[in-house]
Amino acid sequence: MKKEIKNFLVCSYEFVSSLVFCLPRHKLFNVIKSNYLRVQGAQVGKNITFYPGIKINPCMNLKLGNGVDLAWGVIITTGGGVEIGDRVLVGYGTLISSANHVIPPYPEQIFYAGHKSEKVIIEEDVWIGGNCVITAGVRIGEGSVVAAGSVVTKDVAPFTIVGGVPAKIIKQRA
């Protein structure tokens, strides 16, 4: 019986979250979305733009600075904590994951190996292009640019442009 109740609550939470985050990016709806996150323990700054179709789960361990822009289809998992600084642009379809599966030694089974959680920090004035993957434990420095389609597996120094799979330095911002 307890398992059925837990499943019902999880499904209900997911349903309500999908309804809230399917709302358009109008200023009034952005306030509703910000307050929805705050009620669940997130720290949310002012003037956040939430495009429709965003998924954030769980909402605790999330800190959004002022003027953050989260485009369509952004997914943020916050099990290890996610901090996004002021004036950050996150492009369409980007995944920011603060947890990942553990790969056990052979012959242990992957399915039961568990997860490893590490905080993701994105400092202020960062632009993350569309369809990027930001992995657990990464820090993206102030003023950096992550090219579209990149997979960031290591820290990015401030004012650096990176791109590729895995992301590598393209150049420093002049």
Side-chain angles (χ1 to χ4, degrees):
M1 184 67 166
K2 288 182 182 180
K3 187 175 183 178
E4 286 105 13
I5 292 171
K6 180 181 177 185
N7 286 340
F8 175 77
L9 292 174
V10 167
C11 290
S12 298
Y13 169 77
E14 290 172 349
F15 178 72
V16 170
S17 289
S18 67
L19 288 178
V20 169
F21 286 108
C22 78
L23 295 170
R25 61 182 164 120
H26 185 274
K27 184 176 181 176
L28 171 65
F29 296 132
N30 286 331
V31 170
I32 291 169
K33 294 172 191 179
S34 291
N35 287 330
Y36 178 74
L37 293 173
R38 285 185 189 107
V39 164
Q40 296 178 69
Q43 296 177 34
V44 181
K46 297 178 182 177
N47 301 316
I48 310 292
T49 301
F50 299 95
Y51 282 70
I54 293 169
K55 296 190 185 313
I56 300 173
N57 192 27
C59 296
M60 60 188 146
N61 300 322
L62 175 66
K63 182 177 180 182
L64 296 175
N66 298 317
V68 172
D69 187 299
L70 302 173
W72 274 295
V74 169
I75 298 173
I76 303 174
T77 65
T78 65
V82 174
E83 292 183 14
I84 299 177
D86 296 340
R87 299 172 308 280
V88 171
L89 303 172
V90 181
Y92 305 105
T94 290
L95 167 64
I96 301 171
S97 179
S98 64
N100 203 350
H101 292 277
V102 172
I103 300 174
Y106 177 81
E108 292 179 39
Q109 295 178 339
I110 291 174
F111 190 86
Y112 299 106
H115 297 86
K116 181 180 179 184
S117 299
E118 295 180 274
K119 183 179 277 189
V120 172
I121 299 172
I122 301 169
E123 296 179 358
E124 61 188 34
D125 291 313
V126 171
W127 174 20
I128 299 172
N131 294 309
C132 289
V133 175
I134 311 300
T135 61
V138 167
R139 176 185 289 266
I140 300 176
E142 175 184 0
S144 296
V145 176
V146 178
S150 297
V151 177
V152 181
T153 60
K154 295 183 178 164
D155 290 353
V156 176
F159 305 103
T160 303
I161 301 171
V162 299
V165 179
K168 294 185 178 2
I169 295 173
I170 295 172
K171 68 179 186 176
Q172 299 296 314
R173 285 183 54 202

